[in-house]
Amino acid sequence: MSGFPERPSISERGTRVALIFALAAERLSAFYEHGQWLTEAQGASLAADWLARSKRSLPLSERRQLSGLSDQLARQIAGTLSREAGMYTAHEMMEALDPRYHSELADSMLVECERLLDGAAAD
């Protein structure tokens, strides 16, 4: 037993925001480690795996949409930061996938994920 209280269930919107964040972190890590971007299909597959671990699911069309949003965010980050800053951001985001890890940088990325999701819903 970890001693941590049980986390409350995440809202559907929160799940989508967290999924964009997790996929963007994975995309940035793959880009900085291997010099390649994940495809939309690879992102949608990762999304399905991530959702299955938390006993959730979303239709393929929605997973693809969220995968596209994460790709947009990851490319924006990589395009605006130096390689070193981008690698640091990717590392912080990957570390923040552990709910016990707190990062102000990751918190700001979550806000950006919310903005992207809200913008996509408005379209």
Side-chain angles (χ1 to χ4, degrees):
M1 182 125 201
S2 66
F4 290 98
E6 290 295 315
R7 292 186 356 210
S9 64
I10 300 174
S11 70
E12 286 187 25
R13 180 173 184 274
T15 297
R16 287 165 176 78
V17 169
L19 190 54
I20 294 168
F21 180 91
L23 290 173
E26 292 284 353
R27 286 178 184 286
L28 284 170
S29 289
F31 175 71
Y32 287 114
E33 288 178 23
H34 307 292
Q36 296 182 0
W37 290 107
L38 298 176
T39 65
E40 184 179 278
Q42 289 171 318
S45 179
L46 273 174
D49 293 345
W50 186 81
L51 289 164
R53 284 195 299 269
S54 59
K55 298 186 180 14
R56 293 181 175 90
S57 66
L58 290 171
L60 177 60
S61 61
E62 195 164 355
R63 292 194 319 266
R64 282 187 179 266
Q65 178 195 25
L66 297 173
S67 176
L69 292 173
S70 73
D71 184 66
Q72 180 182 335
L73 176 61
R75 288 176 189 262
Q76 178 185 339
I77 291 168
T80 57
L81 298 177
S82 68
R83 178 167 174 76
E84 185 176 311
M87 290 174 68
Y88 174 77
T89 300
H91 173 77
E92 279 295 294
M93 290 176 75
M94 289 299 288
E95 289 291 323
L97 294 176
D98 178 341
R100 296 169 293 184
Y101 186 85
H102 178 73
S103 163
E104 287 184 26
L105 183 124
D107 289 347
S108 69
M109 290 294 107
L110 273 171
V111 170
E112 184 61 17
C113 292
E114 287 180 291
R115 188 191 69 72
L116 280 171
L117 182 63
D118 293 344
D123 290 341

